[in-house]
Amino acid sequence: MASDNRVVIIGAGVFGLSLAHQLAKEGNQNVTVMDRHVPPVPDGSSVDISRVIRFDYTDDVYLTIAREAHQRWSQLPKFKDIFSPAPILAAMNNKTPRAWIEGVTSALRKDDLPYTRLPNADAAKRAFPMLSGDLAVSGFSGYYNSQAGWADAAKAIAQLRDECIESGVSFISGRAGTAIKFETNASGEIKAVRTAAGTTVESDQFVLAAGAWSPGLASMYNNTLSTAQVIAYLPLTEGEMQKYKNLPIYANFSTGWFNFPPHEETKMLKFAVHGWGYTRKPTPEEPNVDRSNISLPPLRAAKARPNFAPPDGEERLRQGLREILPELADREFDRLSVCWYTDTPSGDFIMDFHPDHKNLFVAGGGSGHGFKFLPVLPEYVGSAFHRTLPKHLADKWRFHTDYKDDSDAFLGDGSRGGPERREFNAQEKAKL
Ligand SMILES: Cc1cc2nc3c(=O)[nH]c(=O)nc-3n(C[C@H](O)[C@H](O)[C@H](O)COP(=O)(O)OP(=O)(O)OC[C@H]3O[C@@H](n4cnc5c(N)ncnc54)[C@H](O)[C@@H]3O)c2cc1C
Ligand SMILES: *[C@@H]1O[C@H](CO)[C@@H](O)[C@H](O)[C@H]1NC(C)=O
Ligand SMILES: *[C@@H]1O[C@H](CO)[C@@H](O)[C@H](O)[C@H]1NC(C)=O
Ligand SMILES: *[C@@H]1O[C@H](CO)[C@@H](O)[C@H](O)[C@H]1NC(C)=O
Ligand SMILES: *[C@@H]1O[C@H](CO)[C@@H](O)[C@H](O)[C@H]1NC(C)=O
Ligand SMILES: CC(=O)N[C@H]1CO[C@H](CO)[C@@H](O)[C@@H]1O
């Protein structure tokens, strides 16, 4: 690729910045990233106080590259103040199908990766004595893996942004960086992107890396479904920070509930639900091309996520605490929020050219697990952009056109738990 080929990337999350950094490192001095906000974008999905880093996957490809990523998170000096090691404890009830845990542990065994089986709740509580709850009323099954941890996502994104700037990437932020619509010619090639400021940005190639907002700019052919997931932050006292210092990342795979160890800088205990989530059908006035059955976060000026989660979401957040740390279950939260997943039917990412627009590359489909790949993502997304991925990866991350007519393709990758997905109601939508 000629190094002065202009590339405009919409979205400064982990996917967009990774590609920008890779292209600039390869010598392209004409890469521009557009976003609603200067990264770290406060309500972008790549930004929060923490994201889980683990390589526990049933799928060989993700296990392998997540291991590569984990090695970099834990060994590279530049991640020293960003990554914190912590064990991950995955638990399920005997009642529910245990396919996920069995799949993961057999994948770990196959690669000779150590983990500790926890045959019952007592074993889990012996290993982690601060777990004061019952853990599972009807039969517990689980394991823990000490080789995991969490990253301060906002700091990691700020560092990646700086690496982009240092390697020559330009940024357009705010209204002039907010894409409203692509301008295409008769053969579907994109000529420019129109912005909320009324300007247009021309380019040779465009990249759609707008995360959960992407279906508002190009038809996703049922490749993605944007779902909102709930999060809570609970303030801890100094004494509690000490008491829970070695708390593992506890993931209840029957419900999708999981927590992070206490966050030293903010003195918060954060927990969330990796579930089927909530959808938000856009209103007819909103700019989007594919109104049929899609879900979109509101496209507003970026700002901190509103202090809001639906009541049933809050209840699930508290119920999870009741299982592991009941002494905290009725405490006041500092904040609740929702954060948007870009789910794909299989949980696989998308890194491929769009079927309708020859010069539009799509990078995303994070499906609630994309962040951890930050240290290795530039190489993969760069190769996908140059069409040089090994065939098995190109197949895995292709833009599917075959989901187009499915009535409901979004059945997940086996890691989701809890109640069915539902549409936010009108009062809830007003608070997003
Ligand atoms: C609650 C939650 C918990 C998660 N936990 C984990 C975890 O523990 N571990 C893990 O590995 N992954 C986790 N993930 C998933 C991971 O965060 C995502 O897969 C990843 O961050 C997605 O990155 P992205 O670049 O696709 O999207 P984003 O980071 O959302 O980036 C898209 C960007 O596009 C911008 N944008 C949107 N529309 C426009 C427009 N029209 N014009 C200009 N800019 C626009 C947005 O402002 C945004 O900054 C979690 C996600 C959530 C929501
Ligand atoms: C960027 O692209 C423009 C338009 O093609 C070109 O004129 C310019 O030389 C390029 N800049 C660099 C640094 O390659
Ligand atoms: C997961 O959560 C559900 C609902 O709160 C609970 O019934 C179950 O016992 C929990 N399981 C584990 C393994 O913690
Ligand atoms: C659209 O733009 C591309 C790239 O500039 C060009 O090759 C193609 O001929 C154009 N198509 C039409 C119908 O103008
Ligand atoms: C796929 O798109 C069709 C037509 O747009 C729609 O009827 C169907 O419900 C969609 N399926 C999913 C899974 O969104
Ligand atoms: C994926 C998805 O959300 N599909 C929905 C499309 O719309 C129908 C009818 O509203 C829902 O039943 C599907 O769940």
Side-chain angles (χ1 to χ4, degrees):
M1 195 186 72
S3 72
D4 67 348
N5 217 351
R6 294 168 302 172
V7 182
V8 162
I9 299 175
I10 299 162
V14 69
F15 280 93
L17 292 178
S18 290
L19 181 57
H21 187 224
Q22 184 65 21
L23 297 179
K25 249 180 30 190
E26 291 166 2
N28 188 330
Q29 288 301 298
N30 240 329
V31 179
T32 303
V33 176
M34 297 171 60
D35 204 305
R36 299 175 299 139
H37 194 284
V38 179
V41 180
D43 56 356
S45 303
S46 301
V47 175
D48 201 345
I49 59 173
S50 50
R51 287 280 180 262
V52 174
I53 311 302
R54 52 146 173 124
F55 53 70
D56 305 55
Y57 273 97
T58 54
D59 179 292
D60 270 346
V61 166
Y62 294 115
L63 193 153
T64 305
I65 62 175
R67 258 188 91 198
E68 262 176 78
H70 172 260
Q71 272 163 6
R72 295 193 200 177
W73 283 115
S74 53
Q75 289 166 14
L76 293 185
K78 70 175 182 180
F79 294 124
K80 198 174 145 292
D81 296 325
I82 294 178
F83 174 76
S84 305
I88 183 163
L89 191 170
M92 283 185 129
N93 289 57
N94 281 332
K95 267 203 311 224
T96 50
R98 282 150 58 186
W100 192 86
I101 282 195
E102 271 152 25
V104 171
T105 48
S106 86
L108 292 173
R109 280 197 303 276
K110 196 168 132 246
D111 286 10
D112 276 325
L113 293 164
Y115 67 90
T116 306
R117 215 177 89 72
L118 298 167
N120 50 47
D122 283 341
K125 289 162 74 152
R126 272 196 304 276
F128 301 100
M130 73 296 275
L131 297 173
S132 56
D134 293 338
L135 305 191
V137 268
S138 57
F140 171 103
S141 146
Y143 76 92
Y144 74 88
N145 182 349
S146 300
Q147 292 192 76
W150 57 274
D152 187 311
K155 285 186 187 163
I157 289 291
Q159 177 166 280
L160 182 54
R161 171 205 63 204
D162 289 348
E163 289 170 344
C164 283
I165 293 171
E166 285 155 21
S167 55
V169 174
S170 304
F171 284 82
I172 310 177
S173 308
R175 290 200 317 132
T178 303
I180 295 297
K181 196 179 176 357
F182 286 125
E183 289 178 356
T184 56
N185 74 4
S187 39
E189 285 202 37
I190 298 175
K191 299 279 133 190
V193 50
R194 194 143 10 110
T195 76
T199 53
T200 53
V201 181
E202 292 181 4
S203 186
D204 304 310
Q205 285 176 296
F206 293 84
V207 176
L208 184 56
W213 290 266
S214 296
L217 287 166
S219 173
M220 295 309 284
Y221 281 73
N222 283 343
N223 264 277
T224 66
L225 180 69
S226 303
T227 63
Q229 310 281 335
V230 294
I231 318 172
Y233 306 80
L234 189 154
L236 296 177
T237 63
E238 258 330 315
E240 289 165 340
M241 288 296 295
Q242 272 306 314
K243 177 175 171 196
Y244 302 123
K245 196 166 64 129
N246 298 318
L247 186 68
I249 298 161
Y250 184 100
N252 178 340
F253 276 93
S254 305
T255 58
W257 190 95
F258 69 101
N259 70 283
F260 292 81
H263 189 258
E264 192 51 54
E265 222 171 284
T266 58
K267 315 279 182 221
M268 292 290 163
L269 182 70
K270 176 183 152 189
F271 37 99
V273 179
H274 176 70
W276 298 104
Y278 303 83
T279 52
R280 174 189 170 278
K281 210 179 174 77
T283 60
E285 307 81 65
E286 288 174 50
N288 72 80
V289 295
D290 187 357
R291 250 162 233 160
S292 52
N293 198 12
I294 53 169
S295 166
L296 281 176
L299 182 68
R300 49 174 167 78
K303 55 173 194 238
R305 298 183 183 102
N307 180 4
F308 166 74
D312 54 343
E314 174 170 359
E315 180 41 38
R316 295 176 66 198
L317 288 161
R318 292 200 181 276
Q319 182 55 31
L321 273 185
R322 240 166 247 135
E323 305 295 329
I324 76 160
L325 301 170
E327 66 273 22
L328 299 179
D330 298 310
R331 280 262 289 272
E332 202 169 322
F333 294 152
D334 177 65
R335 213 151 41 88
L336 286 160
S337 61
V338 302
C339 168
W340 290 83
Y341 280 8
T342 313
D343 284 329
T344 62
S346 58
D348 287 319
F349 306 147
I350 302 169
M351 305 184 200
D352 195 4
F353 286 86
H354 193 283
D356 300 340
H357 311 287
K358 225 168 95 189
N359 61 341
L360 179 64
F361 180 78
V362 179
S367 303
H369 71 111
F371 189 82
K372 65 178 67 63
F373 298 101
L374 179 145
V376 297
L377 199 55
E379 295 149 42
Y380 291 101
V381 70
S383 300
F385 185 79
H386 301 310
R387 303 180 200 266
T388 56
L389 276 179
K391 185 173 179 315
H392 72 289
L393 295 181
D395 281 347
K396 198 172 182 57
W397 294 330
R398 75 184 187 277
F399 188 107
H400 285 258
T401 48
D402 45 314
Y403 300 135
K404 185 165 62 73
D405 301 316
D406 287 2
S407 62
D408 193 351
F410 298 92
L411 304 174
D413 58 2
S415 69
R416 302 294 167 89
E420 280 175 25
R421 189 168 54 231
R422 75 163 171 88
E423 174 82 359
F424 281 121
N425 66 34
Q427 294 97 300
E428 289 165 351
K429 283 181 190 176
K431 292 182 180 157
L432 297 172

